[in-house]
Amino acid sequence: MSIRPTLETRQATPTMEGAGVHLHRAFGFQDPSELDPFLLFDDFRNDVPAHFEKGFPWHPHRGIETITYVLKGTVEHGDSLGNTGTLGAGDVQWMTAGSGILHQEMPHGNAAGQMHGFQLWGNLPSSQKMTAPRYQDVEAKEIPEVIDDDGTIVRVIVGEFWGKTGPVDGIAADPQYLDVTIPTGVKKTFKIDTYRRAFAYVFEGQAAFADASTPSGVLLEKEVMGEEVNIRDLSGDRTLIRFGTGDEVTVQAGEEGVRFLLISGAPIEEPVAWHGPIVMNTQEELMQAMRDLRNGTFIKPAH
């Protein structure tokens, strides 16, 4: 077994999208090979309704898939296929843009005015770039939750973990998408397929992620659960941890415990031509998408 090295730890960057939604971007619009097959990850979290209520009005997508996971508040959505619905707390939506789709997403706060969700973009391989668009809404109650003896809780959103299979399937990137909560001071190791790219995103509490050079058990620099350990830097709220190759990730929760997303997927390793919400393989395909948008042929007829 080999611990995946921590290639990079960085804070998500404040930015604005849509009609003025304030959010934090963990990665996106940079080097697409970094976390291939994933292109972008946004944390849209706010308790000021004016900073999110205007939402993401109608906009196009082609060549990608999106996974939206809502923790607080709701997101109303509609698309050019005629689909409409509302995502609530704990719900997930997977959308395959494929050959082209127009959609809108309008977030609303809960009773306390809070809104929190994540959106992950997965690339599509060239063979599926122009596939028919489709989408799937999954309610919170359909997502399996596993509770370990030490109090660790894992929601399996996509993929297989600890004998449970997430309800979202058919995603080209074949991801494993886990929502992990680890109690105070608990150390946990998670197996990840060696051939997958992987990252963690901390959004509550703090934790130390072991590096390949970290001696076994040496993670935190204070006494944890009665055991003296030499401690490494703790990763806190809105921190992205990008891992290198290996087949396991080890994490030790800090004093307040930790909650994070652990996401991995098989790299596509194809050229990327990218402009905003459209991701193709060549500049010519990208220009064709722009022409389609201008002349009204972006949405392809169903076959």
Side-chain angles (χ1 to χ4, degrees), residues 234-245:
L234 288 173
S235 295
D237 188 22
R238 294 195 177 103
T239 302
L240 172 77
I241 300 95
R242 188 164 63 91
F243 301 108
T245 56

Side-chain angles (χ1 to χ4, degrees), residues 1-105:
M1 299 296 174
S2 59
I3 295 176
R4 285 177 174 253
T6 301
L7 297 181
E8 181 183 18
T9 300
R10 69 173 179 242
Q11 289 296 113
T13 306
T15 188
M16 236 187 305
E17 283 292 352
V21 177
H22 295 241
L23 51 82
H24 283 72
R25 178 158 293 152
F27 63 88
F29 299 108
Q30 294 165 322
D31 179 0
S33 68
E34 235 185 27
L35 283 164
D36 178 19
F38 307 116
L39 297 163
L40 176 145
F41 182 82
D42 282 345
D43 176 351
F44 49 99
R45 181 190 335 181
N46 216 296
D47 56 7
V48 181
H51 289 173
F52 61 79
E53 286 281 1
K54 292 182 180 178
F56 307 91
W58 292 97
H59 58 281
H61 281 293
R62 178 179 285 182
I64 64 169
E65 299 185 279
T66 65
I67 303 169
T68 305
Y69 179 30
V70 177
L71 294 183
K72 295 178 182 178
T74 59
V75 176
E76 291 181 18
H77 64 86
D79 63 37
S80 50
L81 299 176
N83 299 310
T84 60
T86 301
L87 298 174
D91 295 351
V92 175
Q93 183 194 76
W94 153 53
M95 182 194 74
T96 301
S99 61
I101 197 168
L102 298 173
H103 78 151
Q104 66 171 352
E105 300 154 302

